[in-house]
Amino acid sequence: MSEFVTTSEGDRVAFDRRGSGPALIFIAGAGPFRAIDPSTTTTAELAAQLGISTIVYDRLGRGESMVDGRIDLERELAAVVALLEIAGGSAVLCGHSSGCSIALAAAVSGLPVDGLVLWEAPLGPQDGEAREWADEVDRRISAGDLEGALIHYMKDMPPEFLAGVRTSPMWPGLVAQVGSLRPDGESLAWAESAPLPELFASIRVPVEVLIGEETFPVMITAADAIVAAIPGATQKRMAGANHSWEPGPMAVELAAFVTSSK
């Protein structure tokens, strides 16, 4: 059964908590929430059996964390703050896709983060296009073109991703919650706003960058760039494909990382 916490912004965030011990909070990327993301739930369950506590939550504007008004990165980080308090005051953050840039922004903002695990962070070449892209997504949302906003958000993803999701039963729901993608766009634009060593200079916690054994070249390039920018950061290939991880090996890796980071 879901638990709920209220943020400093007055938003009610739904989450599942499992296990005991040092804490891990999963931050989803664009689109997923608990009801449609069994892979993260399974990973959290398995990791909790290995001596840590795990929190999986519905990002603002998704699932049971429905809110009114504009959702921006600051509001999303307030949800992370509330969950860190629930976790005991600090935790490792595990970001998936654009959840990685939100996790990085949380660490840079000085939140009590014990470490970062970043799964396939989609950071670009810092050519300024991310800001233009995020602004266009925002413009379409503000104009009420929700489907157009989601299509534009996905424009640089493999074409088969968009084709597959547009024909799935989830498409109407994803369109309806497209306002929840503003923090993703903002965080990715922020991650391209300056050289990564400059942006990430304040990060002093353990960082592990993970990519699937079957992945896209852009994910490898981004992983290399993050590791080069953060002293002590490590990189590892893991079982996974199509931007997703395998829950069993991922749970083992996460439990070991969280335990070693405390």
Side-chain angles (χ1 to χ4, degrees):
M1 182 176 294
S2 298
E3 296 184 65
F4 295 89
V5 63
T6 301
T7 77
S8 61
E9 302 290 323
D11 296 324
R12 189 169 180 254
V13 180
F15 66 96
D16 294 323
R17 176 168 40 180
R18 299 174 176 87
S20 60
L24 171 71
I25 299 172
F26 291 85
I27 302 181
F33 54 96
R34 291 172 302 155
I36 64 170
D37 186 11
S39 179
T40 297
T41 294
T42 299
T43 305
E45 291 172 344
L46 294 173
Q49 295 170 16
L50 298 173
I52 67 172
S53 62
T54 63
I55 291 176
V56 183
Y57 73 104
D58 290 342
R59 293 261 313 270
L60 297 183
R62 305 180 192 173
E64 294 185 84
S65 296
M66 300 310 296
V67 297
D68 295 321
R70 181 186 181 87
I71 305 169
D72 57 17
L73 181 57
E74 182 177 355
R75 197 171 172 185
E76 192 72 56
L77 290 178
V80 177
V81 170
L83 291 163
L84 286 166
E85 293 172 354
I86 288 291
S90 67
V92 169
L93 304 181
C94 176
H96 184 179
S97 192
S98 51
C100 296
S101 49
I102 293 173
L104 284 160
V108 169
S109 297
L111 302 190
V113 174
D114 295 325
L116 299 173
V117 180
L118 308 175
W119 177 271
E120 297 201 348
L123 305 193
Q126 296 186 283
D127 55 10
E129 291 188 5
R131 172 51 62 191
E132 181 180 345
W133 161 80
D135 287 347
E136 178 60 18
V137 172
D138 182 48
R139 185 194 69 76
R140 295 186 185 202
I141 294 171
S142 297
D145 181 14
L146 303 187
E147 184 168 23
L150 182 54
I151 290 170
H152 192 76
Y153 187 96
M154 299 181 69
K155 74 179 185 68
D156 293 326
M157 297 181 186
E160 60 270 22
F161 276 31
L162 178 57
V165 74
R166 289 189 76 175
T167 58
S168 80
M170 294 187 299
W171 181 251
L174 294 174
V175 169
Q177 66 174 34
V178 72
S180 73
L181 300 185
R182 281 186 170 117
D184 302 78
E186 285 184 35
S187 64
L188 288 168
W190 163 77
E192 293 191 14
S193 65
L196 296 186
E198 178 182 325
L199 280 177
F200 303 155
S202 63
I203 296 178
R204 294 289 186 271
V205 296
V207 176
E208 185 171 47
V209 182
L210 303 179
I211 52 177
E213 291 174 346
E214 299 177 43
T215 191
F216 309 104
V218 65
M219 299 302 172
I220 299 171
T221 301
D224 291 343
I226 295 170
V227 170
I230 303 175
T234 60
Q235 182 180 161
K236 189 171 184 178
R237 299 292 285 261
M238 294 282 295
N242 297 320
H243 207 32
S244 298
W245 63 63
E246 290 291 334
M250 186 65 166
V252 172
E253 186 71 20
L254 290 172
F257 181 87
V258 170
T259 301
S260 67
S261 299
K262 275 305 241 183

